[in-house]
Amino acid sequence: MRNETRDIATMDEATARAELTELARQLAEADAAYHQKDAPILSDAEYDALRRRNAAIEAAFPDLKRADSPSDRVGAPVADGFSKVTHAVRMMSLSNAFDEGDVTDFDTSIRKYLGLGSDAPLAYTAEPKIDGLSLSLRYENGALVQAATRGDGAVGENVTANARTIRDIPQHIDDAPEVLEVRGEVYMSHADFSALNDRQNAAGAKTFANPRNAAAGSLRQLDSAITRARPLRFFAYSWGALSEPLAQTQEQAIARLARMGFSTNPLTRRCDTTEDMIAHYRDIEAQRATLGYDIDGVVYKVDDLALQSRLGFRSTTPRWAIAHKFPAELAWTRLERIEIQVGRTGALSPVARLSPVTVGGVVVSNATLHNEDYIAGRDSKGGEIRAGKDIREDDWVQVYRAGDVIPKVADVDLSRRPDTAQPYAFPDTCPECGSAAVREEGDAVRLCSGGMICPAQAVEKLKHFVSRAAFDIDGLGAKQVEQFHSDGWIAEPADIFTLKDRYGPGRMVQLKNREGWGEKSAQKLFDAIEDKRKIPLGRVIFALGIRHVGEAASNLLARHYGSWSDFETAISAAGALEGAEWDDLLSIDGIGSVMARSLVTAFAQDSERASIDRLAAHLDIEEVARVDTSQSPVAGKTVVFTGTLEKMTRAEAKARAESLGAKVSGSVSAKTDILIAGPGAGSKAKKAAELGIDTLDEDGWLTLIGDA
Ligand code: IVH
């Protein structure tokens, strides 16, 4: 690459300044193309190389770092100009199936959740998964009143004027419920895509990388006259807010949308068995190349809408649907080197740096290598993977992408292995801080023992702390955290909350005097930090970045303990790994022993605990919002289900109880408020009786919660 020809060590200031200017320009252009125009102009590898080059020159010439340095920017802001729309019903994504086994598992888990035997009839619909972008269309009394993109699922962009230009989208519909929100996919056909690119070329304008980017770029035009000139199409496949049900089954609902004038996919079928589903998948796969538009899999949905509503949603995906993806594309390339990254928990993660190669339309230059066993050709139980072939630097490897996941190595070509290639020696010291890197019995991961003295761990912990699902502080992203950490301004999360006292107005060193920060942006940052002192308990637990304790588990813990003080008292007391608090922790459905151990170890470790305490002292941690007790007789109560339930499954009962604000525990203790005992209840019922705990049968429970 042209930028990498000059040696930085012998570079003079004028040349460095000129190159930084050029890099800032190129990166800003690439960011805008990627984030605002959905039309990337650089491959991932080229983009990364430019950023690395920029960082290297800045490191050699710190005084030349520009006020608008690309190092201080994380991507580009979303396109200005569209107003925001809060979706009445969140727009979800789909979980994925990659093979037939995943499809049968999907069917099995649904049957289990619903309490259906393996032979009970259970129909699904199967239809192509369109590779475009989802759009929500709101109709009131039959008139289109709003169109919104998915955005982050909760809030999207208002693109009503643009949606009105799409021919497949009716402006008015007859025979519609008072409120009807139709959802579907905006896409561009192959023929329209290539004609558009020809026109763009002829006009000297930018061309699009693929039909999906072209569709996204065309829909998100501030001038709807441009959208009108772009040949966009729309398939309707689901719905959001509704004033009355559309139909009783998915198939009928789609047929009704078709009668209202929406385009629906002609390859939608009703399937009575998983064999039918897979046969239809094969059929669609065989037609994929001749459909004339991009699809990336097949979506299966439970047909009966009453069952869909019983199944409900996980945090971001419905339980009643899954996307069966087409197999990943593969490509061979050379593995140049193996690098070790140290994460927030101290895990040493090996990454393959590859000669850039295109896999399914995307340039890939990195792949994950998971852990040392994976490199050696073994799985976590010592069995062979890749027929036992290890991975070495200079090997030719086959890489693949499946869905949006990080690329992986599928295979190694031993016939092309150079004689000089040596088995990879996994480090037993941390490459970042030199501390011993230790692997515990039964753990595939080697962990740096340096804790917060390890700069990599510290900075990754801080990045996690400010991430979206954690503290999510506006203006304090990964880049800023890296900068503040490397300059010694923040060493641990608590320091974020003293930043203003130390560097804010009236102090000798002021944030606004730093390069890249003005008075306004500094004040905005302090305000944003101030804003997050008051924070929900689940976010705080997640933000601590404790190994194995993810977002869902953090919310379970928050719901179970209710307040920070109850949580930290209980977790400290559970440190003995035995006794009432330990048992209580393990009784939480969804918290296993590995996670529990990791959690109590973090709280028992002196320096980590001290750092947590320093943080908590700056916060006003909100208790978990309880469901209105006047309407939910079980809010805040701890309930245990035992024995056989006859009107619903255990999973369903648990989800329902939790939605009413109850805590569901797996074992009876003095903290249990209600035991729901079905036929066959044994020791738990006995224990509850001994403890004098209220015991109900299933009907009694349904009456109590008003579901009878
Ligand atoms: S159903 C509750 N059906 O895939 C989920 N989605 O990976 C409703 N998509 O965000 C989605 N074709 O944009 C559904 N036939 C189809 C689809 C489809 C494409 C998209 C949709 C969704 C994404 C999830």
Side-chain angles (χ1 to χ4, degrees):
M1 195 168 296
R2 187 175 56 82
N3 284 315
E4 281 179 301
T5 48
R6 282 180 205 274
D7 184 356
I8 299 174
T10 57
M11 191 180 265
D12 63 40
E13 273 203 17
T15 316
R17 184 177 290 114
E19 192 170 338
L20 286 175
T21 306
E22 175 60 12
L23 284 163
R25 190 194 63 73
Q26 289 181 4
L27 283 162
E29 198 183 321
D31 279 342
Y34 187 89
H35 293 280
Q36 295 174 0
K37 301 187 192 129
D38 296 298
I41 49 172
L42 295 180
S43 71
D44 290 359
E46 287 165 343
Y47 183 81
D48 289 345
L50 292 186
R51 284 192 79 116
R52 278 201 303 275
R53 175 76 177 166
N54 185 70
I57 300 177
E58 284 179 352
F61 298 91
D63 294 344
L64 297 185
K65 188 170 165 196
R66 298 167 56 91
D68 64 347
S69 164
S71 328
D72 297 342
R73 251 198 338 266
V74 204
V78 292
D80 294 323
F82 292 112
S83 60
K84 299 271 176 272
V85 171
T86 301
H87 296 298
V89 177
R90 244 185 101 85
M91 289 184 82
M92 297 285 180
S93 50
L94 291 167
S95 50
N96 291 323
F98 295 105
D99 56 31
E100 293 179 14
D102 292 345
V103 178
T104 45
D105 287 352
F106 166 68
D107 176 63
T108 309
S109 72
I110 286 184
R111 286 175 185 277
K112 185 158 172 234
Y113 193 95
L114 295 172
L116 296 176
S118 55
D119 294 334
L122 179 60
Y124 294 90
T125 56
E127 71 203 58
K129 181 169 188 298
I130 316 299
D131 196 6
L133 64 151
S134 43
L135 184 68
S136 142
L137 303 169
R138 187 178 169 96
Y139 293 83
E140 289 175 9
N141 299 312
L144 175 63
V145 293
Q146 186 176 71
T149 61
R150 188 185 122 95
D152 64 3
V155 178
E157 285 172 336
N158 185 336
V159 291
T160 313
N162 294 350
R164 289 192 196 283
T165 70
I166 300 177
R167 257 159 299 151
D168 285 344
I169 296 178
Q171 301 275 328
H172 290 277
I173 43 183
D174 298 328
D175 181 30
E178 199 177 314
V179 175
L180 166 65
E181 185 194 342
V182 175
R183 293 178 177 180
E185 204 84 351
V186 173
Y187 67 101
M188 196 179 281
S189 75
H190 292 158
D192 287 338
F193 165 71
S194 65
L196 171 64
N197 266 355
D198 288 349
R199 288 201 302 277
Q200 295 284 103
N201 248 333
K206 227 165 268 148
T207 56
F208 295 98
N210 54 49
R212 205 205 76 82
N213 283 334
S218 303
L219 184 66
R220 294 169 71 238
Q221 286 289 336
L222 291 175
D223 177 359
S224 60
I226 301 182
T227 309
R228 185 181 299 278
R230 300 276 172 84
L232 291 174
R233 303 185 180 205
F234 180 79
F235 274 130
Y237 52 63
S238 86
W239 51 90
L242 284 179
S243 54
E244 61 190 74
L246 273 183
Q248 288 182 345
T249 67
Q250 178 78 28
E251 191 185 33
Q252 291 162 4
I254 296 303
R256 182 149 176 220
L257 291 177
R259 287 198 300 278
M260 289 175 183
F262 290 96
S263 285
T264 58
N265 195 286
L267 292 172
T268 308
R269 295 275 181 281
R270 182 172 181 277
C271 299
D272 289 320
T273 62
T274 49
E275 288 76 21
D276 287 356
M277 289 152 77
I278 286 161
H280 192 47
Y281 170 89
R282 298 259 169 261
D283 197 22
I284 292 177
E285 191 181 27
Q287 298 182 52
R288 185 178 183 189
T290 53
L291 286 178
Y293 50 87
D294 278 350
I295 63 172
D296 56 351
V298 172
V299 183
Y300 307 124
K301 300 173 185 169
V302 168
D303 190 38
D304 184 331
L305 300 183
L307 295 183
Q308 281 192 9
S309 90
R310 272 179 67 192
L311 286 157
F313 297 86
R314 303 179 201 93
S315 54
T316 59
T317 56
R319 285 195 190 85
W320 44 265
I322 200 164
H324 187 177
K325 304 298 283 283
F326 292 131
E329 292 184 60
L330 296 157
W332 287 95
T333 188
R334 203 173 67 88
L335 190 162
E336 293 174 354
R337 9 177 241 294
I338 296 176
E339 285 179 7
I340 302 287
Q341 289 179 346
V342 182
R344 65 164 209 273
T345 61
L348 268 53
S349 305
V351 177
R353 301 289 177 210
L354 308 166
S355 301
V357 62
T358 305
V359 189
V362 173
V363 179
V364 166
S365 46
N366 303 313
T368 173
L369 294 174
H370 302 289
N371 55 52
E372 56 191 298
D373 287 345
Y374 184 85
I375 296 177
R378 289 188 302 267
D379 65 19
S380 60
K381 298 190 181 74
E384 282 189 349
I385 50 173
R386 297 182 303 271
K389 286 184 253 181
D390 69 331
I391 297 174
R392 303 185 184 183
E393 292 184 331
D394 291 334
D395 264 339
W396 279 83
V397 292
Q398 190 183 39
V399 290
Y400 68 101
R401 294 170 63 238
D404 298 328
V405 298
I406 313 161
K408 296 183 181 192
V409 172
D411 201 4
V412 181
D413 186 348
L414 293 184
S415 72
R416 299 176 81 176
R417 174 173 281 174
D419 294 339
T420 49
Q422 295 298 317
Y424 181 69
F426 203 92
D428 54 13
T429 54
C430 171
E432 299 285 343
C433 73
S435 304
V438 192
R439 194 173 162 186
E440 299 282 345
E441 177 87 27
D443 194 343
V445 174
R446 197 172 273 281
L447 292 174
C448 160
S449 58
M452 290 299 267
I453 68 142
C454 174
Q457 273 193 61
V459 89
E460 291 305 319
K461 254 194 193 316
L462 286 164
K463 283 194 209 163
H464 170 81
F465 185 85
V466 299
S467 66
R468 194 185 266 221
F471 271 66
D472 192 19
I473 298 172
D474 270 353
L476 192 59
K479 283 288 153 230
Q480 289 77 12
V481 160
E482 258 173 26
Q483 186 189 347
F484 288 162
H485 180 264
S486 77
D487 295 351
W489 282 33
I490 52 175
E492 60 170 25
D495 298 340
I496 293 172
F497 296 93
T498 59
L499 205 54
K500 184 175 174 185
D501 293 343
R502 291 180 291 134
Y503 301 103
R507 300 277 165 246
M508 287 207 334
V509 194
Q510 303 212 339
L511 178 61
K512 74 176 169 67
N513 291 342
R514 292 177 58 123
E515 230 172 321
W517 290 91
E519 185 141 2
K520 253 193 177 159
S521 56
Q523 191 51 48
K524 258 176 120 173
L525 174 64
F526 295 137
D527 290 347
I529 293 173
E530 218 40 49
D531 204 42
K532 292 293 160 81
R533 280 189 201 269
K534 190 168 161 77
I535 185 126
L537 178 57
R539 280 190 180 254
V540 178
I541 300 174
F542 176 64
L544 298 177
I546 295 167
R547 189 166 179 226
H548 303 301
V549 184
E551 198 183 343
S554 301
N555 288 327
L556 283 177
L557 291 162
R559 270 208 299 274
H560 185 81
Y561 293 105
S563 71
W564 172 258
S565 72
D566 285 358
F567 168 71
E568 62 112 336
T569 314
I571 300 304
S572 312
L577 303 184
E578 57 181 20
E581 278 80 6
W582 174 249
D583 291 344
D584 183 49
L585 174 60
L586 286 181
S587 79
I588 306 173
D589 222 345
I591 307 289
S593 61
V594 171
M595 196 196 297
R597 207 174 270 270
S598 170
L599 182 64
V600 300
T601 313
F603 273 74
Q605 212 266 332
D606 287 345
S607 61
E608 190 154 354
R609 175 57 191 263
S611 160
I612 294 173
D613 290 346
R614 282 192 291 274
L615 168 69
H618 291 291
L619 303 176
D620 170 9
I621 303 173
E622 294 171 291
E623 299 195 358
V624 175
R626 302 239 179 260
V627 176
D628 183 356
T629 355
S630 62
Q631 284 165 41
S632 168
V634 298
K637 298 252 158 76
T638 300
V639 304
V640 175
F641 292 95
T642 186
T644 315
L645 299 178
E646 285 163 340
K647 302 204 167 129
M648 57 193 155
T649 62
R650 192 66 72 77
E652 211 179 344
K654 175 173 176 267
R656 177 79 182 122
E658 283 174 352
S659 77
L660 292 167
K663 297 179 213 169
V664 180
S665 169
S667 58
V668 172
S669 74
K671 293 199 174 155
T672 310
D673 294 302
I674 309 171
L675 178 78
I676 298 97
S683 61
K684 285 183 194 168
K686 209 170 136 213
K687 187 161 178 200
E690 281 164 18
L691 292 169
I693 289 163
D694 283 347
T695 301
L696 298 175
D697 63 9
E698 189 176 3
D699 286 336
W701 164 253
L702 293 174
T703 308
L704 174 66
I705 62 174
D707 282 358

